[in-house]
Amino acid sequence: DVKVTQSSRYLVKRTGEKVFLECVQDMDHENMFWYRQDPGLGLRLIYFSYDVKMKEKGDIPEGYSVSREKKERFSLILESASTNQTSMYLCASRQENEKLFFGSGTQLSVL
Amino acid sequence: GDSVTQMEGPVTLSEEAFLTINCTYTATGYPSLFWYVQYPGEGLQLLLKATKADDKGSNKGFEATYRKETTSFHLEKGSVQVSDSAVYFCALSHSSGGSYIPTFGRGTSLIVHP
């Protein structure tokens, strides 16, 4: 089975800190995605990547950046964490237009 | 742009009741349609999908039919169980500049009581 692994299940950071969320997939998928999930708002796309070193902004990229130096790894970076970035972050991967495989999520709290 | 609209929840049912969760979409062309399920404390996982009009996706007793004339993909199950309690997301995936960006609805929480 495809596995998408997110490095932390829970994370607590302080306002202004630089935060790295890591995601690794083991099935050589080309496409990778970062979403945030908030109650009542569903999933909102932050960034996605359809190949190594390629990235595209999603619906809410402000305050975030990403890095994809290797095909299996897609990192989400909060340059200067703020309290409104407290959320559940979900990483996903897929091959072309097939189904998405999701990680278990990282619950980030910014204090 | 593309969009997906789901009925708001929570939907609360007794065990063995019939379930319908409505989903309608707006998209150009012929997107693929999906239902994902998220159990408590987990990420989303695919429940079923349909790739063209009149296709029926089915899995674990759930089913949904791709209705192009009504732009709908309603999720149904004849007899729900407590273990079906979860959040259900309707989604579409449509070619947009070749990047196939997935679009999700806001999710519908299902609570099943014994």
Side-chain angles (χ1 to χ4, degrees):
Chain A
D1 273 353
V2 173
K3 198 165 186 180
V4 178
T5 303
Q6 294 185 230
S7 54
S8 305
R9 186 72 180 90
Y10 299 96
L11 211 51
V12 179
K13 296 292 181 181
R14 297 206 175 274
T15 302
E17 278 192 78
K18 190 168 186 176
V19 181
F20 293 86
L21 302 183
E22 304 287 347
C23 176
V24 177
Q25 50 96 1
D26 65 0
M27 279 299 288
D28 204 36
H29 284 170
E30 293 184 350
N31 301 166
M32 296 188 75
F33 304 83
W34 274 107
Y35 292 90
R36 62 177 284 177
Q37 182 179 15
D38 300 287
L41 298 178
L43 272 69
R44 292 182 290 168
L45 181 64
I46 304 171
Y47 267 97
F48 65 100
S49 168
Y50 50 88
D51 205 347
V52 177
K53 297 192 186 293
M54 307 298 283
K55 59 184 179 184
E56 294 280 348
K57 293 180 179 179
D59 300 319
I60 52 163
E62 296 79 20
Y64 304 94
S65 62
V66 290
S67 172
R68 189 147 181 224
E69 295 298 317
K70 294 184 178 180
K71 194 172 188 178
E72 67 270 19
R73 186 180 297 270
F74 192 36
S75 304
L76 180 69
I77 304 155
L78 286 67
E79 296 290 342
S80 177
S82 64
T83 55
N84 63 11
Q85 292 178 310
T86 290
S87 185
M88 170 69 81
Y89 289 87
L90 292 169
C91 175
S93 74
R94 73 172 180 194
Q95 189 65 20
E96 295 185 347
N97 196 21
E98 296 301 315
K99 69 178 183 181
L100 287 162
F101 291 86
F102 281 85
S104 297
T106 296
Q107 179 62 54
L108 173 67
S109 297
V110 182
L111 307 177
Chain B
D2 296 345
S3 66
V4 175
T5 303
Q6 292 180 233
M7 60 188 291
E8 290 193 24
V11 174
T12 304
L13 296 172
S14 297
E15 205 164 25
E16 299 184 1
F18 184 85
L19 168 71
T20 300
I21 300 178
N22 290 337
C23 171
T24 57
Y25 67 91
T26 302
T28 56
Y30 304 93
S32 294
L33 302 175
F34 304 82
W35 276 101
Y36 288 85
V37 59
Q38 184 180 32
Y39 298 105
E42 298 182 12
L44 283 71
Q45 57 185 274
L46 180 70
L47 180 60
L48 54 84
K49 73 174 188 179
T51 57
K52 61 183 188 295
D54 300 323
D55 266 3
K56 178 185 283 188
S58 61
N59 186 25
K60 299 181 181 180
F62 291 88
E63 54 184 36
T65 301
Y66 190 142
R67 300 285 188 203
K68 186 158 176 61
E69 64 275 14
T70 54
T71 61
S72 65
F73 194 54
H74 304 320
L75 182 68
E76 296 183 337
K77 186 176 186 182
S79 176
V80 293
Q81 306 300 312
V82 172
S83 57
D84 293 327
S85 298
V87 181
Y88 293 82
F89 292 88
C90 185
L92 68 82
S93 186
H94 181 73
S95 177
S96 176
S99 54
Y100 297 100
I101 303 168
T103 301
F104 284 84
R106 292 192 174 188
T108 302
S109 175
L110 171 65
I111 301 169
V112 181
H113 294 293

